[in-house]
Amino acid sequence: MFFRAARRLVLRKPGLGIRGIHNPGDTAHSKGKIAPYTNYHAQRSYPMPDEPFCTELNAEQRALKEKEKGSWTQLSHAEKVALYRLRFHETFAEMNRRSNEWKTVMGCVFFFCGFTALLIWWQRVYVFPEKPITLTDEWKAKQLQRILDMKGNPVQGLASRWDYEKKEWKK
Amino acid sequence: MARQMHQKRTPDFHEEYGSVTLAGGAPLCVATWTYTATQIGIEWNLSPVVRVNPKEWSD
């Protein structure tokens, strides 16, 4: 909503907006080809574009717009659809269609996460210092015995998990 | 001038490659992280409870 307001402020300045031509014949197949500097923008939360989708009309379309000024009961169904397509790029159903973009996004997220793992591997090989002696398995085993001898955290902590009679971890 | 209501849409990038990207990226991530976390000697210093058997320390 605020982006739209900002957009309108920016694009209202003369010279910045190239009026979209939007030949209705090829909009069906060129949904990615809208010029970036047109004032047409519709979204579900703000479906009121500043200008019609097609601004340059051929003679047939101009005649139709003239007919639109009269009573709308004279318009055939096809003409009404054509008028809609002149004013709007897509119907609500088309605009709100779901897409598979999330798959691409998540795939790329996972890919780069995986790449991060490779970076950390490189770090482990080339950057990490020697493992301190206190982190070797033998030292840790002796340290554990010392803590158990001192009965460290005997209420809820480490020594409470050790069975002193059977000399094994409690199940 | 009358147009069809339902246009046939050419598939966009996400329809063509989205599933492939997802199906490739996720296993890659899992595989690289499993390898990194377990096989290259990173010390996680996990809890000794149940994992470490104490050893006599006083010489």
Side-chain angles (χ1 to χ4, degrees):
Chain A
M1 180 56 207
F2 297 110
F3 293 115
R4 269 208 55 82
R7 213 183 125 90
R8 277 153 116 206
L9 278 173
V10 165
L11 292 177
R12 277 286 170 234
K13 290 208 290 237
L16 256 184
I18 304 169
R19 291 287 152 182
I21 302 171
H22 296 310
N23 184 345
D26 64 4
T27 47
H29 305 294
S30 62
K31 58 181 179 107
K33 299 224 176 102
I34 301 170
Y37 296 110
T38 171
N39 282 339
Y40 182 88
H41 182 71
Q43 60 199 61
R44 188 182 349 182
S45 57
Y46 198 86
M48 296 160 279
D50 292 339
E51 62 175 18
F53 185 57
C54 302
T55 44
E56 290 192 17
L57 309 175
N58 61 30
E60 200 184 350
Q61 291 165 334
R62 278 197 293 273
L64 186 60
K65 291 300 266 184
E66 285 302 313
K67 192 173 176 192
E68 190 192 16
K69 293 179 184 173
S71 169
W72 289 344
T73 51
Q74 307 160 22
L75 297 170
S76 72
H77 178 73
E79 286 173 331
K80 289 176 190 168
V81 171
L83 283 166
Y84 182 92
R85 288 290 177 184
L86 284 179
R87 179 172 286 278
F88 298 104
H89 179 211
E90 293 174 311
T91 65
F92 270 79
E94 289 164 7
M95 175 168 67
N96 296 334
R97 72 185 177 278
R98 43 178 195 195
S99 82
N100 285 333
E101 186 180 356
W102 70 272
K103 294 181 188 173
T104 316
V105 170
M106 291 311 295
C108 290
V109 166
F110 287 133
F111 175 78
F112 284 109
C113 274
F115 181 69
T116 306
L118 298 178
L119 294 178
I120 290 177
W121 183 6
W122 182 89
Q123 271 193 317
R124 167 69 184 89
V125 171
Y126 291 106
V127 179
F128 279 25
E130 276 292 320
K131 193 149 119 166
I133 187 173
T134 48
L135 285 174
T136 56
D137 288 337
E138 186 181 349
W139 190 287
K140 285 202 271 192
K142 289 182 176 178
Q143 182 173 352
L144 175 62
Q145 180 63 60
R146 191 158 177 267
I147 295 173
L148 293 174
D149 291 345
M150 292 194 281
K151 299 222 169 48
N153 296 329
V155 180
Q156 286 180 319
L158 189 63
S160 72
R161 304 282 300 272
W162 179 257
D163 189 336
Y164 282 92
E165 274 95 51
K166 292 192 209 152
K167 292 209 171 24
E168 60 183 17
W169 291 108
K170 286 185 185 167
K171 298 288 181 287
Chain B
M1 188 161 67
R3 291 173 7 138
Q4 308 287 328
M5 277 300 276
H6 300 286
Q7 307 287 344
K8 220 159 170 243
R9 296 196 167 272
T10 53
D12 65 359
F13 178 87
H14 307 301
E15 283 164 42
E16 282 175 60
Y17 298 108
S19 306
V20 168
T21 317
L22 186 63
L28 181 80
C29 182
V30 169
T32 48
W33 273 102
T34 315
Y35 184 79
T36 309
T38 56
Q39 301 296 327
I40 59 174
I42 288 181
E43 176 62 52
W44 293 102
N45 203 28
L46 301 172
S47 169
V49 174
V50 175
R51 208 169 275 116
V52 177
N53 289 321
K55 186 172 159 189
E56 196 45 56
W57 57 274
S58 57
D59 308 314

